[in-house]
Structures are given as C-alpha cells and as structure tokens.
Amino acid sequence: MNSTVATRATEIVLPGPVEPNGLHVQVRDLPPPAEGQVLLRMDATGVSFAEQQMRLGKYYDQPPFPFVPGYDVVGTVTATGPGVDPVLAGRRFAAVIKVGGWASHLLVEAGDLVPVPDEVDAAAAETVAVNGVTAWQMLHRTAKVRAGATVVVLGANGGVGSILVQLARHAGMAVIGTASARHHETVRTLGATPVDYRDPDMYQQIRKLAPEGVDAVFDHVGGPGLVQSWRLLRRGGTLVNYGAASGKNDKGNALLPMLKLFTRLLAWNHLPNGKNAHFYNFWAGRRRLASFRDRLSTDLTQVLRLVADGAVMPQIAARIPLTDASAALTLAESRTVLGKVVIVPET
C-alpha cells in the first residue's frame, strides 16, 4: 500500500571509530517511501566483516560518520512509494544495501529487493544474503570451478566460508577447509576436510592432502599468507582473495594496503604458469545498475532455493535483539563463532 504517514524507527548508529559498546541507539521518524522506494520492517539483519571494518573506519568507500551500519537485511514491505507495485506490501524480501540495515524500519529501493521463499526463515535468509551471493559468485563467476575440482576454503566455519563449502560440495567438488580445532566436526559435517588454521604448518598440511596442487583457493585473510595460498595452486588454478582479515587492526591509511594487494595480484597474473589471481569485489559492475541488480537477484535466488531445498544449511551463530547490537558486534569480532551473528527485532 502507498503511505503518507511517517514511521517511528529505532536505529543503531555508528558515531565514529569506537569500541563495539560505543554504538548509539536512536529513534526517529522516517518519511513515507519516495518514488521507487518501499518501507521495510526489519525481520533480520546481521554482522559481517564489513561492519567490523567500518567500526574502525577501514572499509573502502564507507560513508562518513555517523551512520547506521547494516550491510544486508531481510524484511517485510509495509508500504510502497509512487511507481512501486502495491502488491509488494506484506511480502518478505532480502536486500543488500551496504549500510542502513541495523534498524527496525528502513527505506529501500524497490529495485534492490530479492524475494525470499515462504519456507525460508528470515534469519536463515539473512545468513545467505550477502554471504551467499559472495560465495556463489566467487565459486561460479570468478573462479569458474568445475565438478571434480579440489578447492581450499580459508575460514570454513565463517559466514562466507561455511556457505562456500556447501556450494562447492553441492557442485561436486572436494573441499579442504581451515578452521580452529573446535569447529572441525562441523566443517566435516558441511562436507570439507578440516585443517587447523592455528597450526604453523597449516599450508604443509594442505599440501599433504593435495600434493598435486588445488584448483582454487578462497582467501579472506590476505597479508603474508596470500603468497602461501598462491603456491597451493596447480597450473591453471585460481586464487580468489576477498578480504584482509589479517590486517583488520592495522593502523594507517586503509587504501594503501589495497593498492599493494592489487599490484601483487596483477603481477601474479602475468607469470607464465597458467595461474590466475583475482580480488572479489561484491559491488563491481554497479555502475551498470540494471545488470548488477539482475545478476545479484539471479545468484541470490539460486542460493535461497538451495536453502529451501535443504541443500545449503545456513549457520546461525546467534540471534541478538536490535538494541543489543553492541553485543552482536562483540560476539562477531570474538572469532569464536560458527556462522553469522544475526540481529533480530525486539521481542
């Protein structure tokens, strides 16, 4: 339905580079949805590595402080703006929005909405929103790995890693996954052979499992270990780097390490060994908005269908109420969790 009435919204504000307990809670009136927008009642949002970087002011292209974080959201449309089909009202959608998701209600561009199947729980859908698209696109669009391949997933217990393992197994690949020892049984259940990331000989252990090299490595850690990830590849293999967790707390300009990384990947791609190195950027291609949205919707729809069919089991680390977002961020940053920390509405 169209609406001309303001909506009271509770929002979590990141005021600056603060500790997790420095988040602010504010309540304000949202205007009615404008042309092309919908009003979304949040059913689930979450904490990804992006918010952890934003807290430190280290996420590339983040908005100036203060702002409401929240990279993705699952919610129910409660009102539609001019130019939006009113039939959307009452339906549940997922959206990847980069910021703004940590709120009880928010305004979202209708073009960013992806339908969530009725049989998929809101928290489960939230767990695979940005993480599922990231995993799917890295595996099938960036690395283009085929059935029968062997791949390595660093952080196989994480939000992206746990989905990546399942997608690779579903596509007929063998998976070696790194995780702390306490998560090894779960990693096995997901279908990967676990290796302890705390083992100083981790890369040697991986080589013993795949002595002829692997077809792809998915590395969210970056830093010095990226060279070791590159060396794991067989001829024709692909390295996909999608983060720099190792340098999260480093001081200084966040752009300089990225420039060094891109220079290294570019140089590797020119070596005569048939290997490929890529940096995965979720937002690549957004300047062509229609095709970007179509690709995102297509990929997320496929992941959500696998969730609905039981082929992918979302790993939910915890469900924490919105006004306890500080606790959610603290837990996500503890590096102790399996899967994704999900933020839910107040009960």
Side-chain angles (χ1 to χ4, degrees):
M1 63 178 179
N2 291 316
S3 173
T4 57
V5 180
T7 299
R8 201 79 167 152
T10 300
E11 298 176 326
I12 307 301
V13 178
L14 183 56
V18 296
E19 293 300 313
N21 60 10
L23 297 173
H24 295 169
V25 179
Q26 74 176 16
V27 179
R28 71 180 180 100
D29 287 332
L30 288 181
E35 179 85 23
Q37 290 185 329
V38 302
L39 177 65
L40 207 64
R41 184 192 70 231
M42 185 270 286
D43 296 325
T45 182
V47 186
S48 63
F49 186 66
E51 287 94 4
Q52 299 173 42
Q53 290 181 301
M54 288 180 186
R55 178 181 73 77
L56 301 170
K58 293 175 64 67
Y59 187 84
Y60 177 70
D61 200 31
Q62 72 182 70
F65 296 113
F67 64 91
V68 177
Y71 212 86
D72 53 4
V73 64
V74 173
T76 301
V77 173
T78 60
T80 56
V84 179
D85 191 340
V87 76
L88 269 59
R91 296 185 179 181
R92 178 174 285 171
F93 296 90
V96 182
I97 51 179
K98 190 181 284 189
V99 294
W102 292 6
S104 64
H105 299 77
L106 61 153
L107 297 170
V108 176
E109 295 295 319
D112 290 328
L113 300 176
V114 179
V116 174
D118 291 340
E119 61 268 38
V120 177
D121 171 73
E126 160 58 28
T127 302
V128 300
V130 68
N131 290 346
V133 172
T134 297
W136 180 276
Q137 292 184 345
M138 288 195 301
L139 188 67
H140 295 298
R141 293 188 183 271
T142 304
K144 299 177 182 176
V145 194
R146 304 291 185 182
T150 298
V151 304
V152 173
V153 177
L154 302 190
N157 60 301
V160 174
S162 60
I163 300 170
L164 192 46
V165 169
Q166 295 179 79
L167 291 179
R169 293 294 296 136
H170 184 263
M173 303 168 200
V175 184
I176 301 167
T178 71
S180 62
R182 69 171 158 233
H183 294 313
H184 281 192
E185 190 53 43
T186 300
V187 170
R188 286 191 190 93
T189 301
L190 295 177
T193 301
V195 174
D196 191 345
Y197 82 88
R198 290 192 173 96
D199 186 338
D201 295 323
M202 180 188 84
Y203 285 98
Q204 288 301 115
Q205 297 301 324
I206 295 173
R207 287 189 184 91
K208 288 179 182 177
L209 294 170
E212 297 181 2
V214 300
D215 298 276
V217 179
F218 300 93
D219 185 323
H220 71 298
V221 180
L226 201 62
V227 175
Q228 295 295 332
S229 291
W230 173 253
R231 290 173 178 168
L232 290 175
L233 298 173
R234 63 164 182 78
R235 184 175 182 84
T238 301
L239 169 66
V240 183
N241 174 238
Y242 64 105
S246 65
K248 176 191 165 191
N249 295 313
D250 292 350
K251 305 295 183 184
N253 190 320
L255 186 58
L256 186 58
M258 297 303 296
L259 292 175
K260 290 181 178 178
L261 170 66
F262 293 153
T263 301
R264 168 175 279 176
L265 297 181
L266 184 63
W268 282 346
N269 279 325
H270 284 85
L271 294 176
N273 55 21
K275 299 180 184 180
N276 301 286
H278 301 275
F279 180 81
Y280 172 81
N281 175 12
F282 183 93
W283 300 101
R286 201 171 193 279
R287 290 178 181 175
R288 297 181 177 179
L289 187 57
S291 60
F292 173 85
R293 283 172 165 169
D294 182 66
R295 185 168 60 249
L296 189 156
S297 179
T298 297
D299 295 346
L300 181 52
T301 296
Q302 294 196 70
V303 176
L304 287 168
R305 178 43 52 194
L306 290 174
V307 173
D309 293 343
V312 169
M313 300 294 291
Q315 304 297 305
I316 301 171
R319 292 176 172 87
I320 297 178
L322 177 64
T323 54
D324 289 335
S326 292
L329 187 54
T330 299
L331 179 60
E333 294 195 21
S334 70
R335 301 183 70 181
T336 63
V337 298
L338 175 68
K340 187 168 186 178
V341 176
V342 175
I343 294 173
V344 296
E346 303 298 312
T347 53

